[in-house]
Amino acid sequence: NNHIGLPLTLLELDEDTDVAVVEMGMSGRGEIELLSKLARPEVAIITNIGEAHLLQLGSREEIARAKLEIVSGMRPDGLLVYRGDEPLLEKELARNPLPPTMLRFRFGASPDNDYFPLGIMQDGEGTLFSLNSPGSPTYYIPLLGNHNVINALAAIAVCKYMGVSERDIIRGLKQVQLTGMRIEVVKGRNGLTILNDAYNASPTSTLAALETLRELKGYGRKFVVLGDMLELGEREEQFHRDIGKSLRPEHFDYVFTYGVLAEHIAEEASKVFAPGTVKPFSDKGQLVDAISTLAAAGDVVLVKGSRGMKMEDIVFRLKEISL
């Protein structure tokens, strides 16, 4: 998704390719502008404005400006699809209006958007939902979490713009496969379910993962395992404390943390959880051992942390434990 990988992807396309989907990554200003001018996209999607680049950019406002650079290389009559629930995007678009011929489409959870979901239901391994548009079919994605439904709305909007049939949209969403370690459902040897969300972590994505776990039905006790969230800049301690404050014993049974920063999560959670149900760890093996003495068949464990914490090590060990 950078200035090397994106051009290589485009140059490797077959001559008869109709549509290509490429990601544009960045760690600072000007990077997405370069990628957009290289790719010259007809359609661009901005999924959210999180906190993942605060260390480099300093503020969410700067992150919004950096992501809106994606319109730099777009056709004047192209389509910008963006998260309508994010006020920073609307603010920046008001300051720097799009070309009058460029179309815009807003998606999100709020009824103020062009697309918003209705009737969301989870079955333990995937999610059913429909759209606010008249005659909407029921869509299914083999993924958990309302945030994945919201992202699917953007995909549906682009598919319809590109002339993809409703049947193919339904089929495509039903068969979608994500990169591993993004709320990946892993079954342990002895009836333990692990939600492997170890690909990366920010305050926004961590809250989304916690909400997914909270809404899961049909499981026994719920364990939360959270690692450090990295590259958050000078407010990193407060971000971790805010996560800890969001945790409630009526939603989760145990909270375990791994890493120095994640200790702040445990410290805040300990204020409302029963003694012994919140434990910080500096050793992954000891953390897994603690879960193995408490967990039973039918329980579920969420594992999440930044890439640098390699929380998948915990997932692999949990998969093999004897309950």
Side-chain angles (χ1 to χ4, degrees), residues 3 5 35 48 69 82-83 115-116 126 131 135 165 192 214 221-222 226 231 260-261 272 277 290 301 321:
H3 62 291
L35 297 175
N48 62 30
E69 291 175 6
Y82 65 96
R83 183 72 178 264
Y115 272 175
F116 58 90
L131 294 179
S165 71
L192 186 68
R214 187 184 72 81
R221 291 168 301 174
K222 297 180 178 180
L226 299 176
E231 299 184 5
V260 175
L261 290 172
V272 294
T277 58
V301 184
I321 64 173

Side-chain angles (χ1 to χ4, degrees), residues 107-121:
F107 69 96
S110 166
D112 296 333
N113 291 291
D114 298 302
Y115 272 175
F116 58 90
L118 299 173
I120 299 176
M121 293 180 60

Side-chain angles (χ1 to χ4, degrees), residues 44-59:
I45 300 174
I46 300 177
T47 53
N48 62 30
I49 305 299
E51 305 87 4
H53 305 287
L54 279 175
L55 181 62
Q56 297 91 346
L57 290 168
S59 70

Side-chain angles (χ1 to χ4, degrees), residues 295-313:
D299 291 345
V300 58
V301 184
L302 168 68
V303 180
K304 187 166 182 66
S306 280
R307 186 82 302 274
M309 302 305 290
K310 297 183 178 179
M311 299 295 284
E312 63 271 21
D313 295 341

